[in-house]
């Protein structure tokens, strides 16, 4: 009857969201209640923001600490029901392993002399230099994506190493006139948190123009067709022009036959008269 598969995520150091499945032998009208406590609270607190989605129960509660805090106390989670027939379940969570940053916002792209510059807004709930970023981009013509990891104050690619600030990135050596699609996500730095959770990818942003392949396809089909029609029209026109300039010479044999035929007809008519 106890809740199972308890999972919690600490979103952007602001609130914790926990989910669980009902116990296999729990009745359908079981109302699980979540309580939490950590060192510093005078008494346990009851979570009040519940949800249910596809048979999975969940609850969200505010959880934040001062930015200057170097260590975080373990969080104790208790899930139970008022009925004695429902077995309670208790778990201790290390919050630093549950950290998930917010999605980077206000992503902008701009052209620079030798490439493209990308910028985004950092989360204001994390201590300074406690996030690393991963940028993914691909050319509008290709499906293959390139991944850049922005670590500390540098961005490292396979073939170059150049300084950048934490929340922006300059990518040289790419054609700024072609279309490129970019997105970025954040991850807690291991020196600050033990979490392996990435934020969600930001909304994709594009820069440059991608030539429409449909235009080329239509062009490839249209040009030969136009050439063929023009050739036929030209041949017909030249044939008529040839007839006008160089009319056909009458066949002498036909002319003789016609002359003798007319004479024979005249002789036959005179005999009858």
């Amino acid at each position: 009857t106890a809740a199972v598969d308890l999972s919690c995520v600490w979103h952007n150091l602001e609130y914790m969201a926990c989910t669980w499945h009902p116990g296999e032998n729990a009745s359908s009208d079981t109302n699980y209640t979540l309580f939490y406590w950590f060192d510093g609270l005078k008494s346990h607190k009851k979570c009040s923001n519940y949800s249910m989605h596809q048979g999975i129960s969940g609850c969200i509660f505010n959880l934040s600490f001062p930015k200057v805090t170097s260590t975080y106390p373990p969080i104790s989670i208790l899930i139970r029901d008022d009925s004695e027939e429902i077995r309670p379940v208790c778990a201790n969570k290390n919050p630093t392993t549950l950290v998930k940053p917010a999605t980077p916002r206000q992503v902008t792209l701009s052209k620079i002399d030798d490439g493209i510059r990308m910028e985004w807004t950092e989360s204001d709930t994390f201590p300074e230099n406690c996030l690393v970023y991963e940028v993914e981009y691909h050319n509008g013509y290709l499906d293959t994506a390139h991944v850049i990891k922005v670590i500390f104050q540098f961005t490292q690619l396979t073939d170059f190493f150049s300084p950048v600030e934490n929340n922006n990135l300059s990518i040289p050596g790419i054609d700024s006139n072609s279309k490129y699609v970019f997105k970025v996500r954040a991850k807690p730095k291991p020196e600050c948190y033990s979490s392996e959770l990435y934020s969600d990818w930001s909304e994709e942003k594009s820069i440059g123009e991608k030539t429409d392949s449909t235009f080329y396809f239509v062009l490839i089909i249209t040009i030969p067709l136009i050439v063929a029609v023009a050739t036929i029209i030209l041949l017909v026109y030249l044939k008529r022009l040839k007839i006008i300039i160089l009319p056909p010479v009458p066949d002498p044999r036909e002319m003789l036959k016609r002359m003798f035929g007319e004479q024979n007809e005249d002789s036959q008519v005179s005999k009858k008269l």
Side-chain angles (χ1 to χ4, degrees):
T1 58
V4 294
D5 301 331
L6 173 63
S7 175
C8 296
V9 177
W10 192 12
H11 290 271
N12 205 39
L13 305 182
E14 294 179 305
Y15 64 92
M16 184 168 286
C18 295
T19 59
W20 63 90
H21 287 82
E24 182 180 354
N25 296 325
S27 60
S28 58
D29 60 348
T30 300
N31 292 319
Y32 292 100
T33 304
L34 184 147
F35 298 88
Y36 64 95
W37 179 89
F38 56 86
D39 190 16
L41 289 181
K42 295 181 180 180
S43 61
H44 66 271
K45 290 191 175 184
K46 181 179 179 181
C47 185
S48 58
N49 187 10
Y50 291 91
S51 64
M52 174 72 74
H53 179 66
Q54 295 182 351
I56 302 176
S57 300
C59 195
I60 297 174
F61 57 91
N62 293 328
L63 180 65
S64 61
F65 298 94
K67 290 184 180 181
V68 295
T69 301
S70 57
T71 58
Y72 296 91
I75 308 295
S76 297
I77 305 291
L78 171 66
I79 300 177
R80 65 177 178 83
D81 185 86
D82 293 336
S83 172
E84 295 181 356
E85 297 179 355
I86 303 301
R87 181 181 175 183
V89 61
C90 187
N92 290 324
K93 300 288 186 180
N94 178 0
T96 65
T97 65
L98 309 175
V99 176
K100 181 178 180 178
T103 305
R105 297 175 290 107
Q106 298 180 9
V107 179
T108 59
L109 300 172
S110 58
K111 295 181 180 180
I112 56 178
D113 293 337
D114 59 345
I116 295 174
R117 180 179 178 85
M118 181 179 185
E119 296 182 70
W120 58 88
T121 302
E122 290 187 297
S123 172
D124 55 3
T125 61
F126 280 81
E128 188 177 359
N129 294 326
C130 274
L131 289 176
V132 295
Y133 296 90
E134 190 172 274
V135 173
E136 182 178 296
Y137 74 95
H138 63 87
N139 187 288
Y141 295 99
L142 305 175
D143 295 329
T144 304
H146 304 273
V147 177
I148 305 172
K149 293 186 178 180
V150 185
I151 304 175
F152 303 106
Q153 293 291 333
F154 297 90
T155 175
Q156 186 172 8
L157 297 181
T158 57
D159 55 355
F160 80 98
F161 190 75
S162 61
V164 296
E165 297 179 2
N166 275 346
N167 64 330
N168 65 73
L169 175 67
S170 296
I171 309 173
I174 61 176
D175 183 9
S176 59
N177 293 321
S178 298
K179 181 178 180 179
Y180 283 86
V181 180
F182 289 80
K183 60 183 178 180
V184 59
R185 64 179 179 176
K187 180 179 181 293
K189 190 181 290 187
E191 290 86 343
C192 301
Y193 307 97
S194 303
S195 175
E196 295 295 327
L197 299 176
Y198 283 91
S199 73
D200 295 332
W201 284 106
S202 67
E203 181 182 357
E204 289 188 343
K205 295 286 185 177
S206 62
I207 189 171
E209 296 295 334
K210 178 181 177 182
T211 305
D212 190 1
S213 59
T214 305
F215 173 76
Y216 283 108
F217 178 76
V218 173
L219 203 61
I220 292 173
I221 298 297
T222 305
I223 289 178
L225 184 61
I226 293 175
V227 172
V229 172
T231 302
I232 294 173
I233 294 174
L234 183 61
L235 291 175
V236 172
Y237 176 77
L238 289 176
K239 186 175 181 181
R240 292 183 178 180
L241 188 63
K242 182 180 178 182
I243 293 174
I244 295 173
I245 297 175
L246 299 174
V249 179
D251 189 352
R253 291 176 297 179
E254 293 294 330
M255 293 179 63
L256 293 174
K257 288 181 180 180
R258 193 177 303 164
M259 291 173 61
F260 286 114
E262 292 177 354
Q263 291 179 359
N264 291 334
E265 290 180 358
D266 293 341
S267 60
Q268 290 178 0
V269 171
S270 58
K271 288 179 180 180
K272 290 179 179 181
L273 295 174

